[in-house]
Amino acid sequence: MNILTARKVRKTYGKRFTAVEVLKGIDLEVSKGEFVGIMGPSGSGKTTLLNVLCSIDHVTEGIVEINGQILQEMKERQLAAFRRDALGFIFQDYNLLDTLTVKENILLPLAIKKIPHKAAEQRFQALVKILRIEDIIAKYPNEISGGQKQRTSAARALITNPSIVFADEPTGALDSKSAAALLKNMEQINREHHVTIMMVTHDAVAASFCSRVLFLKDGALYTELYKGDKTRQEFFQQILSTQSVLGGDGYDD
């Protein structure tokens, strides 16, 4: 079952003589429970694609459908409610509130939705155990490491039981150990709880945790790789080979 469908998606910035077409008619489908990576050289349109798929930005042409809802048919207030109720977001810069504890940051989306305390606490306890942050829940963001901040951000994104989680370079600001820990957590949540994840990354190691990787080039879908029965190391090597064909030096954005 497809949880996300995009048809003939185009995105253009500017008008007339200054117009730049960043996305050039992209079609894609994402099934429930997939862990999909989006890769491509600098300027290929991968972050723009993620932004229009999750309704942070608007398409110029085409449609994006999530859970049977066509985003282009929603008004701004409906879109805001849809993002709150159905989507989860993990960004490179964490977006945590410094005046709230880790626990308060994680529970904030449920407080906004007025979820009963008992149900909220059950979700919270389950997530902090998976993400291994039980020992920092009373601390504030300025008292924890970058890896702990990103796992807190992941818990906040997941606690609403979203239909799909969008992650934009979630390991970009982390050291290799913290990045590996977060990716293993995301892979576990995807595998055991069937949470659908779409992740933009420039890192072949991060992409090797995905079940499928889409490659963009010049605003169009260039190719895609499926992990299938491959080991993570085998998939990593396949991703590296595709990067080299596209131009590996361009993956530093």
Side-chain angles (χ1 to χ4, degrees):
M1 182 182 79
N2 290 335
I3 197 166
L4 183 151
T5 302
R7 290 282 179 260
K8 308 300 180 187
V9 168
R10 295 180 180 274
K11 179 63 181 179
T12 302
Y13 293 102
K15 296 181 179 179
R16 299 186 67 183
F17 303 116
T18 61
V20 177
E21 190 175 37
V22 180
L23 300 178
K24 301 174 182 178
I26 289 179
D27 294 315
L28 64 87
E29 296 176 344
V30 177
S31 299
K32 182 174 173 58
E34 275 198 284
F35 188 170
V36 180
I38 303 173
M39 302 190 77
S42 177
S44 61
K46 53 188 182 293
T47 294
T48 300
L49 176 61
L50 192 80
N51 287 344
V52 299
L53 293 179
C54 70
S55 79
I56 288 177
D57 202 353
H58 298 285
V59 301
T60 303
E61 294 180 26
I63 65 165
V64 177
E65 183 177 329
I66 299 177
N67 265 0
Q69 300 287 316
I70 297 176
L71 304 189
Q72 288 67 45
E73 294 180 352
M74 296 185 190
K75 296 182 179 179
E76 285 301 323
R77 183 174 292 183
Q78 291 175 302
L79 268 177
F82 184 77
R83 281 193 291 265
R84 181 193 67 210
D85 296 338
L87 310 181
F89 301 91
I90 306 174
F91 298 106
Q92 183 176 333
D93 56 1
Y94 319 128
N95 287 337
L96 300 177
L97 298 178
D98 292 334
T99 56
L100 301 182
T101 65
V102 165
K103 182 173 184 177
E104 290 167 342
N105 266 287
I106 295 170
L107 287 172
L108 183 60
L110 298 189
I112 292 171
K113 293 177 68 174
K114 298 182 180 179
I115 300 296
H117 174 77
K118 185 177 180 180
E121 189 65 24
Q122 287 176 338
R123 293 190 199 179
F124 173 79
Q125 292 297 336
L127 276 174
V128 297
K129 184 177 181 181
I130 292 172
L131 291 163
R132 297 182 177 86
I133 52 175
E134 305 105 304
D135 57 338
I136 64 165
I137 61 173
K139 294 185 177 182
Y140 289 87
N142 65 356
E143 299 174 322
I144 60 178
S145 70
Q148 291 169 329
K149 288 177 182 178
Q150 195 58 294
R151 279 180 279 161
T152 299
S153 178
R156 184 185 57 190
L158 292 161
I159 201 163
T160 58
N161 293 331
S163 298
I164 184 167
V165 173
F166 294 95
D168 189 5
E169 298 282 8
T171 62
L174 304 182
D175 60 69
S176 58
K177 183 178 179 180
S178 297
L182 175 66
L183 289 162
K184 287 176 182 177
N185 291 152
M186 291 173 68
E187 184 183 46
Q188 179 185 358
I189 289 167
N190 167 256
R191 182 180 65 252
E192 296 179 3
H193 299 274
H194 310 291
V195 175
T196 308
I197 302 172
M198 290 199 75
M199 176 178 71
V200 164
T201 183
H202 69 278
D203 183 6
V205 174
S208 69
F209 284 84
C210 299
S211 55
R212 177 164 58 120
V213 179
L214 309 174
F215 289 86
L216 300 186
K217 182 179 181 180
D218 299 327
L221 183 60
Y222 175 77
T223 191
E224 56 186 325
L225 302 178
Y226 288 85
K227 186 174 185 180
D229 296 328
K230 300 180 189 73
T231 65
R232 194 162 61 79
Q233 182 60 34
E234 289 170 339
F235 197 38
F236 169 71
Q237 292 298 332
Q238 189 179 15
I239 293 166
L240 279 183
S241 296
T242 304
Q243 277 187 318
S244 67
V245 172
L246 280 172
D249 292 340
Y251 283 79
D252 56 356
D253 58 346

